[in-house]
Amino acid sequence: AARRKKKRISKHVMKANEEREATRQQKEGATPKSTSNKKAKRAKQKSHVKDPNEAASYLSSWKHRGAGGAWKFNKNTQSWLLRHCFEPEKVSKPTFALLLEYLKGLKGTTRTRMIADAQRRALRYKEFEKANPEQQQDKADKKEEDSPASSKQAGEDENDEIRWKRLDAHDKRKEYKRARKVLDVLNE
């Protein structure tokens, strides 16, 4: 009698089977055991925090790329910069000034999304300003109307709303000013 080899199952097939089993259990009302632990593990792995200095050096090398600088496009760094450009604690003033120059070269969907995000943030501040006139600074000469903003991905939007609620009026105004600068650069 010949012995048969044990059939091996690929990791991606095992993962798909586990996900199928988890959804089946959820439909039946039972809670999946192994997938919740794996999801927590994946979330922990994805929580890599980018060093703001890394982003600043990326923009600096971008600016000096013509003078023999060795700049190479990095999608992850660009995404981080675009996601955090409105947060002064992550993107400093000098870095933001370089970023404004960098944004002039944006094209396509990235440019459209950046405009929509900046409009959404500016509009959100204007609504906050109207709802809280006692916190409003005397800036009547600088009021402008913004167009309605488009929606973002659900997860990012929730995190942004939580962050927004934690900001004081001064930091909300800083975010608004950055959004206006981004809009000015992208609408040129």
Side-chain angles (χ1 to χ4, degrees), residues 12-86:
H12 72 281
V13 173
M14 288 173 44
K15 182 181 171 188
N17 288 340
E18 286 176 3
E19 289 174 357
R20 239 184 267 119
E21 181 65 23
T23 55
R24 185 185 63 77
Q25 286 179 356
Q26 285 177 347
K27 287 179 183 176
E28 293 174 0
T31 57
K33 295 175 186 172
S34 63
T35 55
S36 62
N37 194 16
K38 286 185 178 183
K39 285 181 183 176
K41 197 173 188 179
R42 271 189 233 135
K44 188 177 180 181
Q45 288 174 347
K46 288 183 180 180
S47 66
H48 170 73
V49 178
K50 185 171 281 291
D51 181 22
N53 294 329
E54 183 182 337
S57 65
Y58 173 80
L59 286 175
S60 178
S61 62
W62 168 81
K63 181 167 175 99
H64 302 294
R65 69 191 182 282
W71 175 77
K72 185 176 179 187
F73 176 73
N74 185 331
K75 179 72 174 176
N76 291 332
T77 304
Q78 177 182 321
S79 296
W80 187 89
L81 280 163
L82 297 181
R83 194 169 39 251
H84 298 288
C85 70
F86 301 105

Side-chain angles (χ1 to χ4, degrees), residues 114-155:
M114 200 63 199
I115 290 171
D117 190 27
Q119 286 175 337
R120 181 182 62 82
R121 289 171 189 270
L123 183 62
R124 179 172 63 183
Y125 179 77
K126 287 296 187 178
E127 289 170 0
F128 165 77
E129 203 173 41
K130 286 177 189 172
N132 302 307
E134 68 277 357
Q135 300 209 5
Q136 183 178 2
Q137 298 174 2
D138 192 21
K139 304 278 183 184
D141 57 319
K142 288 195 173 189
K143 285 194 174 184
E144 296 178 24
E145 286 301 316
D146 293 305
S147 63
S150 65
S151 62
K152 289 174 73 178
Q153 294 176 353

